[in-house]
Amino acid sequence: MTTVGRILRQATRTLKEHAVSQPLLDASVLLSDILKREVWWLSVNRDHLLTIQEVFDFENLIARRAKGEPVAYLTGHKEFWSRTFAVDSRVLIPRPETELVVETALEILAPARPPSPLILDLGTGSGCIAITLALEIKAATVVASDISLDALRLAAMNAKIHDVYDRIHLIQADWASCFRIPGTKKCPGIPKNYHGFDLIVANPPYISPNERNIMDREVLEFEPELALFSDDEGLEAIRSILKEAPCLLKEGGWLLCEIGWKQGKKVRRLAKETGKYYCCQIKRDYSGNDRLLLLQRGSNG
Ligand code: GLN
């Protein structure tokens, strides 16, 4: 029989030997998940005895963590905007900096909030952005697309968990290619009097394949390539979105697109070249890096 304190010590040592950067924290999070307790509970119950099953389950997770598998895939969930989302290797793990998309979307829609805004989330993955917006703006109708059916299955599960399945319309699409204004192709969830979306949000893949060699092994080996990489120095997906979004937005509607920290200047230029937007801003994340492209569809759009 072993105790919380002893097994945590052993696991921390194992993870350290495998160069995991936060061995004690990761071991604690994994053990607390198995025991269905908060992390703090472990430190005040170090003499608590574990069952054989708990020991087996924990040792299995620690072995996988030692090989680099991210904690979120091991526990099967990740926090985003203070809510828990189911995640697995079918989708990108939601990142804290992506909360800037949500924060900015809420700021934009707040002052002149249309009574029931129509929002499109391109490349929804786990659904974390779409579902958060649906929860924060109760009257919103949200359409969420992804090219990956596997990702859409998980997004559907998250929408059910968060009780917004009825208000989120999931669509398999390569960026905006399946939507055309109005009615050239029927899109579930789009109201009859559709004049375009009030807001389009996206966190597209924006890493250049050339950056593989400087990437974190854990990301590279475990997260889906489709969600990470884009050709043309990471700009191909952003370019498609910039080109297609004006056809889908209402006059004065907004596009918020997450970008890579070195892409600010380039995406500003690409947006300008389209001639379809009149307000262009780049927002920085809390680390001070360019992170979000903010555009409003212009009158000549
Ligand atoms: N929208 C999802 C997220 O922000 C997925 C993004 C992606 O797969 N590139 O986590």
Side-chain angles (χ1 to χ4, degrees):
M1 290 293 240
T2 189
T3 63
V4 163
R6 193 168 327 135
I7 207 162
L8 268 184
R9 257 197 318 279
Q10 281 164 359
T12 304
R13 203 177 319 123
T14 306
L15 295 184
K16 217 177 196 165
E17 281 162 15
H18 286 82
V20 171
S21 61
Q22 295 180 301
L24 176 58
L25 179 64
D26 289 3
S28 305
V29 169
L30 293 173
L31 186 57
S32 70
D33 198 66
I34 284 175
L35 299 181
K36 312 238 172 324
R37 303 278 188 175
E38 300 288 333
V39 170
W40 65 262
W41 183 91
L42 303 176
S43 49
V44 289
N45 288 279
R46 299 189 71 79
D47 295 329
H48 175 83
L49 288 173
L50 302 180
T51 65
I52 296 289
Q53 189 62 51
E54 287 163 347
V55 172
F56 284 166
D57 290 347
F58 183 62
E59 284 176 350
N60 173 32
L61 292 188
I62 290 296
R64 287 166 65 188
R65 183 72 194 108
K67 289 188 189 139
E69 195 166 342
V71 171
Y73 289 157
L74 296 174
T75 60
H77 53 81
K78 178 75 183 175
E79 296 289 302
F80 182 79
W81 202 259
S82 305
R83 294 190 182 95
T84 304
F85 287 84
V87 291
D88 62 31
S89 57
R90 290 175 287 182
V91 297
L92 191 82
I93 298 169
R95 307 293 204 266
E97 55 269 30
T98 302
E99 293 187 341
L100 189 60
V101 177
V102 172
E103 189 184 300
T104 311
L106 297 179
E107 276 167 19
I108 282 174
L109 290 177
R113 182 175 284 183
S116 38
L118 188 56
I119 299 172
L120 171 62
D121 177 22
L122 294 172
T124 199
S126 62
C128 60
I129 301 176
I131 292 166
T132 303
L133 291 176
L135 287 165
E136 295 296 324
I137 308 172
K138 297 277 181 258
T141 299
V142 181
V143 179
S145 74
D146 207 292
I147 195 167
S148 155
L149 257 188
D150 279 344
L152 288 170
R153 285 196 185 99
L154 192 70
M157 187 172 125
N158 274 318
K160 281 180 192 154
I161 291 171
H162 290 287
D163 213 12
V164 288
Y165 188 62
D166 294 345
R167 284 173 43 223
I168 296 202
H169 305 276
L170 297 166
I171 290 171
Q172 189 183 23
D174 189 7
W175 303 121
S177 61
C178 85
F179 311 93
R180 290 288 176 256
I181 284 190
T184 49
K185 174 149 184 182
K186 262 217 167 118
C187 176
I190 296 190
K192 282 205 184 72
N193 58 351
Y194 166 69
H195 297 297
F197 287 92
D198 296 284
L199 173 71
I200 298 179
V201 289
N203 175 20
Y206 51 71
I207 302 174
S208 165
N210 299 335
E211 287 179 59
R212 278 175 179 278
N213 51 348
I214 53 164
M215 280 175 69
D216 199 340
R217 180 176 70 101
E218 290 185 14
V219 176
L220 203 52
E221 282 179 21
F222 291 92
E223 296 198 73
E225 295 230 334
L226 205 57
L228 295 169
F229 296 107
S230 198
D231 284 337
D232 186 14
E233 295 180 332
L235 291 169
E236 192 180 53
I238 296 177
R239 215 188 270 274
S240 303
I241 291 169
L242 286 175
K243 193 167 138 234
E244 292 167 11
C247 317
L248 305 175
L249 284 168
K250 267 182 194 158
E251 170 68 30
W254 292 87
L255 168 64
L256 303 185
C257 182
E258 185 168 319
I259 57 169
W261 64 282
K262 289 188 286 191
Q263 294 172 332
K265 264 197 192 142
K266 282 188 198 155
V267 295
R268 194 193 281 271
R269 204 188 55 233
L270 289 177
K272 213 169 163 200
E273 278 167 16
T274 65
K276 308 268 177 151
Y277 304 97
Y278 64 73
C279 174
C280 176
Q281 204 189 326
I282 305 283
K283 269 187 136 182
R284 293 193 170 162
D285 60 24
Y286 291 113
S287 314
N289 295 318
D290 285 352
R291 185 58 63 195
L292 186 68
L293 173 66
L294 187 66
L295 296 167
Q296 193 169 19
R297 204 196 104 182
S299 50
N300 58 344

